[in-house]
Amino acid sequence: MSFGIHVNEQPFDAEPRPGQCLRTYLRERGWFGVKKGCDAGDCGACTVHVDGEPVHSCVYPAVRAGGRSVTTVEGLATDGELHPVQQGFLDAQGFQCGFCTAGYLMTTAALDEEQLTDLPRAFKGNLCRCTGYRAIEDAVRGVKHVEAPCAGAAVGRNLPAPAGPQVVTGTARYTFDIDVPGLLHMKLLRSPHAHARITGIDTSAALRVPGVRLVLTHHDAPERHYSTARHEHPTEDPDDTRVLDDTVRYVGQRVAAVVADSEAAAEEGCRRVEVTYEVLPAVLDPEEAMLPGAPVVHAKDAEEARIARPLDNVVGESHGEIGSVEEGFAAAEVVYEETFRTQRVQHASLETHGAVAWFEQPEEGPERVVVRSSTQTPFLTRRALCALFDLPLEKVRVLAGRVGGGFGGKQEMIVEDIVVLAAMRLHRPVKLEYTRAEQFFGATTRHPFTVRVKAGARRDGSLTALQLRVVSNTGAYGNHGPAVMFHSVGESMAVYRAPHKKADAYAVYTHAVPAGAFRGYGLGQVVFAMESVMDELARLLSMDPLEFRERNIIGPGEPMISPGGEEEDLHIASYGLDQCLGIVRDARAEPAGAAPEGWLVGEGSALSMIATGPPGGHIADARISLLADGTLDLAVGTAEFGNGTTTVHRQIAAGELGTTVDRITVRQSDTDVVKHDTGAFGSTGTVVAGKATLRASQALAETLLTFAAQHLGGHRDECRLLEDAVEYRNTRILLKELYAAAQSAGRELAADGHFGGTPRSVAFNAQWFRLAVDPGTGEIRILRSVHAADAGKVMNPMQCRGQVEGGIAQALGATLFENVRLDERGRVTTAAFRQYRLPQYADIPRTEVHFMETEDSIGPLGAKSMSESPFNPVAPAFVNALRNATGVRFTELPVTRDRVWLALDERARVQSGRPGGR
């Protein structure tokens, strides 16, 4: 009797392998709309229908589908017409990166009328890391946000993401949504020790496993050290990493790589590798790591590796003082000092890290290795691979498909190096895809910070002195450690005027899972401390916290001064901070929402400032060309991972060329398409790459008008661009005819644009919460959430609002429950979503998002960045509201329900005189 399964009405008879789940069975047959997000039935990205019932296919045995009918997202549409749920997600743009969207579509399509009335329960099995859930709710409820395109007038409108139809039909291609003939699979053996030297490694048993083709160890790795962090200037990061090392420095570090015909064979090969370790002393606390006699994480030459003080485990440090804080505190009438701590947070992008490498022979030039990776930095990754393996640029091509979320975590070269090493050894295609568990112990996290703040003020509310001591735990490797540390004490201090400022900051090695780039890049951790202290100073002065901030924030045209020094290319090119605080003031004045009887109610706010790009330059190139059919090809290097840059770039080009966005095709995230692009990080997708697109589009518009005038025998100033033509007086020449005329004349109608990322502007944000707390249980309910964002000219309000909401949701997760925990041996104990606790639909309130009326003099068409900045003021606004409600100042994140209850119980015990202990 044959297995017999129908997938989207197509019959398949091939029996599944023993133990195979339905997800892999479907993907192996080309149904790539079924996504891998968690491996454990926690995220819902793999949801399909079996005989009409939704199931998580990653935990559904494929054998159980025998004789049944399976529907994936690709089969949801019928007779060429989208399913109503698919159309709803298109109309509301209920997605960003889109990796979770197929799962939401399949879950929603199976809901009955009663279930639709309780979406928090209906969506308890689905996660989204990007949207903040409001857009998903709107999609389900039939709310339409998308506008129809029209010629020219594109910027400032809610135009749809070009990949929308592919996202909702499951045909958008992410990193592994391709069929590579002859593909081999890699699995990694990882260290069980926080610190050890490998004294012996035997691969013979692994090589005897049927299907195993290669085992790589430190003996096979280049001796060269590098950093996994990707920056335009590689010298920003320490060279402390090898592809495979004979010393391991954290639990989870890769020890060996096994390549085989199947994942199962590669996993078995890993189990057969025999490793002998000399276990060494380890240190997990950064303060202890700086003490004399602490185990040294990297005993390297300081200058060669660019480590500040290797023997003290200090990878980077910054010390600066403006004026004299001693004098400032002496002049203060109130002084407040406190220590704050923030935890490790995982990026939790639903598409895990991964890459596949193979060889191709271009029509011209030498054979080259091609790397398809889930990366935010294809060009920088190519450059790093070439340096690591001594290859010329033309022998490496790096590209990204659609990237399923990033948040800074994919501003790293974590997988590409080992994949390329294996592909070069075997001259075969090789794939490495992280499991969800590996994301927690084999990728990076946000840096845990300890921040000591001391601040003084006069009775009139003016600040006299600000002092910070910051210790950042960068983990076992220094990728991004110095840069995050430097950035953390920049705009967080510069946004406030004070004649005396001092900062001492340290990025410290420990034997813990490495930290890296994360949304906000260190500012979120220090802003949490700084804004908490501003509230406490206001209390000591009996002042309104909002009024206290208004008296001390910098104004338009004022220098941005921090102890690290004034950055010459950083300017307040538009100023909306006063408007942001005005929004908070208006929100406070409105009637309060109802709270349960007996609950404590409070409100709080916080503000933040962030540069619209990293210092030292961030390069973007763009090229736009007229095609034979009269449409336009826009080539940009920046990656799309839900940040929406693809949409914005089309809007910019359409506006400058007088056409509609649907006449512009975007090619991106590929080192073949343009000269260079630093990458999609540091909030640069719109303000840097967008400016390159603007310049290319303006240049092409001039080229088209000039050539049309020459061709028609007229004057350039009398020509006008139309949607698909150039008009001269009463004559119109179609763009496709203009292309043909240019071809006959030996001309190419194309133009390039470039921007180096400097000068830079700043963006402002303010967050306000009103919340209620149950003193008997510690439960917190958000009654109202308001966010004010100064994004300059908002290019796409629908999309920008989604970025703000997603940032708030991610920040609330970090505020309330997200915490990558390590045990006393340095082992991550929260290596699954059900242990880690991401925000779900039911956890996130609808936030009222307000955009300020400003236009930036630096950003393209007046725009500023808005992908990172909404994250930063959320935690302090929340804990300030919690302080207002409970009287307790929480100084450590996350403020979990049990911590809140314990603090309230302790306060009640002290007030009542009850003895302590439970």
Side-chain angles (χ1 to χ4, degrees), residues 175 230 354-360 362 368-387 389 391-403 410 412-417 419-420 636-639 667-679:
T175 307
R230 302 271 55 84
V356 56
W358 67 90
F359 284 86
E360 71 174 8
R368 61 183 178 174
V369 63
V370 179
V371 184
R372 182 179 172 95
S373 171
S374 184
T375 179
Q376 296 173 227
T377 59
F379 289 81
L380 300 188
T381 298
R382 177 182 65 165
R383 188 170 68 187
L385 290 170
C386 290
F389 296 111
L391 296 170
L393 287 177
E394 62 268 19
K395 296 209 65 172
V396 179
R397 176 190 177 195
V398 177
L399 68 152
R402 190 172 178 88
V403 177
K410 293 172 181 176
E412 306 270 357
M413 187 174 70
I414 290 180
V415 294
E416 297 89 346
D417 53 349
V419 172
V420 168
V636 294
T638 188
R667 291 182 297 126
Q668 63 193 132
S669 324
D670 186 340
T671 57
D672 269 7
V673 302
V674 292
K675 287 182 286 189
H676 186 71
D677 188 283
T678 299

Side-chain angles (χ1 to χ4, degrees), residues 714-800:
H715 297 286
R716 178 252 175 262
D717 292 344
E718 296 182 83
C719 293
R720 185 167 67 96
L721 285 168
L722 303 178
E723 178 181 349
D724 61 351
V726 176
E727 183 181 66
Y728 171 66
R729 295 184 179 176
N730 295 322
T731 303
R732 295 179 66 206
I733 180 170
L734 294 175
L735 291 178
K736 62 182 180 181
E737 297 170 345
L738 200 64
Y739 175 90
Q743 288 288 296
S744 299
R747 289 277 308 276
E748 181 186 14
L749 298 179
D752 297 301
H754 172 87
F755 184 52
T758 184
R760 300 172 295 147
S761 185
V762 289
F764 300 99
N765 294 77
Q767 172 71 41
W768 175 82
F769 286 110
R770 179 177 286 130
L771 50 80
V773 185
D774 182 356
T777 65
E779 180 183 350
I780 305 171
R781 293 184 190 175
I782 298 173
L783 303 178
R784 192 176 176 200
S785 172
V786 176
H787 192 96
D790 174 21
K793 172 67 176 177
V794 179
M795 310 297 265
N796 187 310
M798 167 186 68
Q799 188 170 271
C800 195

Side-chain angles (χ1 to χ4, degrees), residues 60 79-80 103 258 264 288 323 432 500 582 590 608 685 742 757 786 833 873 883:
Y60 190 95
D79 300 324
V258 178
E288 293 178 7
L432 171 61
H500 308 285
E590 294 174 9
S608 65
V786 176
F833 280 155
R883 166 75 163 92

Side-chain angles (χ1 to χ4, degrees), residues 832-902:
F833 280 155
R834 65 184 60 189
Q835 296 164 329
Y836 178 67
R837 180 74 165 89
L838 280 181
Q840 296 178 293
Y841 180 97
D843 296 316
I844 304 301
R846 288 177 75 97
T847 292
E848 303 162 36
V849 177
H850 301 265
F851 293 116
M852 305 305 97
E853 296 181 3
T854 63
E855 290 205 16
D856 201 68
S857 60
I858 293 175
L861 304 176
K864 295 198 283 194
S865 61
M866 198 46 58
S867 56
E868 293 185 272
S869 57
F871 186 102
N872 296 329
V874 171
F878 192 94
V879 296
N880 286 342
L882 199 55
R883 166 75 163 92
N884 183 243
T886 66
V888 177
R889 168 58 61 189
F890 289 87
T891 60
E892 185 173 350
L893 296 180
V895 284
T896 55
R897 180 171 171 173
D898 57 336
R899 283 182 176 174
V900 173
W901 180 81
L902 285 169

